[in-house]
Amino acid sequence: MKDSPATVAEIQAAIRNVPDFPQPGIQFKDITPVLASPRLFSGCIELMIDGLRPGMVDAVVGIDARGFIFAAAAAVRLQAGFVPVRKKGKLPYRTHEQSYDLEYGRNTIAIHVDALKPGDRVLLIDDLLATGGTAAAAAELVKKVGGRILEISFLIELGFLKGREKLRGYPIRSLVVY
Ligand code: AMP
């Protein structure tokens, strides 16, 4: 049936694995075929927010850059605001920053100091959970501006990297687990 909701298996089948991108040894999960399909893209959003309804979340916080795609759509669907967490130096106003370790080196992400109101209920979204460093740093930023994370939602989780261990205490949802 064409109009039946997309299943996780169908979404997984559309995710393209690109070996050795952006560097040797990385299996890059290319989600562009999922985004290009109206049925699969909207299916992702429905599954990533399943159980949440308008009025339950004040803001959806999305992580630079592919997290924005899902977080913005989820925000519209949940009638909530959208807040970007961006790489350092990209946000124009005053920011809080948080650094975290990468396999090689360190990365810093930022949020506007007034992005949330104290006590705001937040759904945090990124496309993919790998080592968990990015999401853990984003969760710290949400806390710094007074937000309360209800849940962290990912389209993809690389389970073998054990990113969940860096996100203890938060409810985590991921649709496709490798
Ligand atoms: P991490 O901080 O290790 O959990 O990395 C998560 C971030 O890196 C996410 O924003 C992803 O978009 C990106 N990322 C890490 N590994 C991959 C991968 N294998 N394929 C696509 N994106 C990835």
Side-chain angles (χ1 to χ4, degrees), residues 9-68:
E10 288 173 300
I11 292 166
Q12 176 156 15
I15 296 169
R16 178 162 53 196
N17 200 55
V18 183
D20 299 319
F21 182 88
Q23 57 195 59
I26 303 287
Q27 302 279 333
F28 193 86
K29 302 299 180 201
D30 177 14
I31 57 166
T32 59
V34 177
L35 302 176
S37 157
R39 185 164 161 276
L40 296 181
F41 183 25
S42 70
C44 287
I45 302 304
E46 294 308 322
L47 291 166
M48 288 175 85
I49 65 169
D50 189 36
L52 296 170
R53 288 182 304 283
M56 293 171 76
V57 167
D58 299 300
V60 182
V61 175
I63 302 177
D64 201 347
R66 286 179 297 275
F68 294 168

Side-chain angles (χ1 to χ4, degrees), residues 26-29 66 100 126-134 158:
I26 303 287
Q27 302 279 333
F28 193 86
K29 302 299 180 201
R66 286 179 297 275
Y100 59 98
D126 202 0
D127 66 324
L128 185 145
L129 172 63
T131 66
T134 311
L158 304 183

Side-chain angles (χ1 to χ4, degrees), residues 45-149:
I45 302 304
E46 294 308 322
L47 291 166
M48 288 175 85
I49 65 169
D50 189 36
L52 296 170
R53 288 182 304 283
M56 293 171 76
V57 167
D58 299 300
V60 182
V61 175
I63 302 177
D64 201 347
R66 286 179 297 275
F68 294 168
I69 299 163
F70 300 98
V76 171
R77 189 66 184 66
L78 292 171
Q79 295 167 29
F82 167 75
V83 170
V85 163
R86 296 213 64 185
K87 294 180 180 105
K88 178 187 161 122
K90 296 285 185 187
L91 288 169
Y93 184 57
R94 282 191 290 129
T95 59
H96 291 297
E97 293 183 353
Q98 184 74 34
S99 298
Y100 59 98
D101 289 323
L102 298 173
E103 203 176 344
Y104 303 100
R106 268 171 95 66
N107 204 12
T108 302
I109 53 176
I111 195 167
H112 273 152
V113 292
D114 60 354
L116 297 169
K117 294 188 297 303
D120 270 355
R121 298 160 301 169
V122 168
L123 170 63
L124 178 61
I125 288 188
D126 202 0
D127 66 324
L128 185 145
L129 172 63
T131 66
T134 311
E140 279 305 305
L141 289 175
V142 168
K143 274 205 279 184
K144 277 186 189 172
V145 290
R148 196 157 49 85
I149 293 178

Side-chain angles (χ1 to χ4, degrees), residues 129-132 152 154 157-159 161-175 177:
L129 172 63
T131 66
I152 310 180
F154 303 92
E157 176 178 358
L158 304 183
L161 292 175
K162 303 194 188 313
R164 274 175 190 257
E165 291 179 4
K166 289 210 184 80
L167 301 172
R168 280 209 194 91
Y170 298 110
I172 309 289
R173 176 201 317 233
S174 56
L175 301 189
V177 181

